[in-house]
């Protein structure tokens, strides 16, 4: 599959994910004065929405929707050529960040807010960074352990369920995604994060990536498929007539 087509799928998928996260957060805050109910509605919508998005764009790009998943895929597959190339990772990451920003803008406009309203929600306490390390490590371990144990077919509901649960068991409400974190800075709503809080979250997520990959190496040392075949197996374009696949 051509990189540009996969990048478009990543952009659309990440935009849709941020629309779900931000839009459901706005709707929940509008309909309920109770922050617990708001978080419940936001987490349920995100869990179901994420599973559906993975099923929709997965056959094209693998539905990474997250630069850390793409980076882990490259790192884990660099020796045997099973993962993304470095140029693929760059293309995916750019598309994911752009998609997250587009998603936040669309969600704002849908609810009659300013297209860009920088979040004022500070999330810069150390305990929130610990939450992001835990959330990200668990996500990376989940995705790649499914591949190495031959259970990639259940990735869509499993990843959706994990993120929905992690809203509640992590102090940070489980961003676990630098692209989505950047997008959420563009909305001053329930799901937002102040731009000044982004560096701490991104660093914590990178630490979580390292922890997740380390746990994977300990628990599942056998190399497996790349993540383009993990989150959801993507389809390959047929080779042109008269040419091989090599």
């Amino acid at each position: 599959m051509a990189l540009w087509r996969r990048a478009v799928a990543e952009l659309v998928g990440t935009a849709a994910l941020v629309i779900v996260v931000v839009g459901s957060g706005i709707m929940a805050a509008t309909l309920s004065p109770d922050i617990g109910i708001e978080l419940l509605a936001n987490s349920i919508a995100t869990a179901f929405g994420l599973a559906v998005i993975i099923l929709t764009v997965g056959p094209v790009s693998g539905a990474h929707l997250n630069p850390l998943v793409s980076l882990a895929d490259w790192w884990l597959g660099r020796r045997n050529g099973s993962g993304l190339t470095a140029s693929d990772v760059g293309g995916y990451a750019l598309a994911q960040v752009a998609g997250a920003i587009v998603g936040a803008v669309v969600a704002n406009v849908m609810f009659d807010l300013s297209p860009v309203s920088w979040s004022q929600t500070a999330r810069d306490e150390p305990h929130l960074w610990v939450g992001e390390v835990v959330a990200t490590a668990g996500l990376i371990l989940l995705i790649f352990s499914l591949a190495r144990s031959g259970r990639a077919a259940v990735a869509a509901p499993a990843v959706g369920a994990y993120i929905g649960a992690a809203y509640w068991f992590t102090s940070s409400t489980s961003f676990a995604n630098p692209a989505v974190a950047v997008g959420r800075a563009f909305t001053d709503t329930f799901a937002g994060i102040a731009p000044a809080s982004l560096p701490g979250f991104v660093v914590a997520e990178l630490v979580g990536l390292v922890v997740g990959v380390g746990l994977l190496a300990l628990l599942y040392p056998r190399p497996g498929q790349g993540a383009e075949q993990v989150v959801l197996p993507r389809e390959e374009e047929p080779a042109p007539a008269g040419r091989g696949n090599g």
Side-chain angles (χ1 to χ4, degrees):
M1 189 77 71
L3 176 57
W4 72 265
R5 195 184 303 277
R6 288 181 282 144
V8 169
E10 287 296 300
L11 188 153
V12 171
T14 310
L17 174 57
V18 174
I19 289 172
V20 170
V21 172
V22 174
S24 64
I26 296 172
M27 181 66 82
T30 301
L31 297 179
S32 173
D34 187 288
I35 193 168
I37 295 177
E38 293 171 16
L39 185 62
L40 178 63
N42 196 204
S43 62
I44 291 174
T46 300
F48 282 105
L50 179 55
V52 170
I53 293 164
I54 290 171
L55 291 172
T56 302
V57 304
V60 181
S61 67
H64 290 193
L65 314 177
N66 186 334
L68 300 181
V69 174
S70 301
L71 186 60
D73 182 53
W74 165 78
W75 177 258
L76 292 169
R78 70 195 188 285
R79 291 183 178 176
N80 58 17
S82 65
L84 297 179
T85 66
S87 59
D88 286 341
V89 173
Y92 271 45
L94 288 174
Q96 290 154 355
V97 172
I101 294 170
V102 169
V105 171
V106 171
N108 287 337
V109 171
M110 274 202 307
F111 287 91
D112 198 27
L113 303 175
S114 173
V116 175
S117 55
W118 298 111
S119 177
Q120 303 300 310
T121 304
R123 302 177 188 263
D124 51 11
E125 295 89 346
H127 70 278
L128 299 182
W129 301 337
V130 174
E132 277 300 278
V133 172
V134 171
T136 305
L139 178 63
I140 296 298
L141 178 60
L142 169 64
I143 289 172
F144 290 93
S145 67
L146 290 176
R148 294 192 173 185
S149 59
R151 296 173 295 159
V154 301
V159 172
Y162 174 80
I163 292 298
Y167 262 80
W168 290 90
F169 72 72
T170 65
S171 57
S172 64
T173 66
S174 183
F175 285 45
N177 186 329
V180 168
V182 170
R184 289 168 70 162
F186 283 72
T187 180
D188 190 20
T189 60
F190 178 80
I193 177 173
S197 298
L198 284 176
F201 262 55
V202 172
V203 169
E205 289 157 358
L206 288 170
V207 172
L209 168 63
V210 174
V211 173
V213 170
L215 289 172
L216 181 74
L218 287 173
L219 299 175
Y220 296 90
R222 181 178 60 84
Q225 297 167 289
E228 73 276 6
Q229 302 296 329
V230 177
V231 183
L232 198 75
R234 64 179 176 84
E235 297 176 353
E236 296 292 344
E237 291 179 331
R243 294 181 59 186
N245 294 321

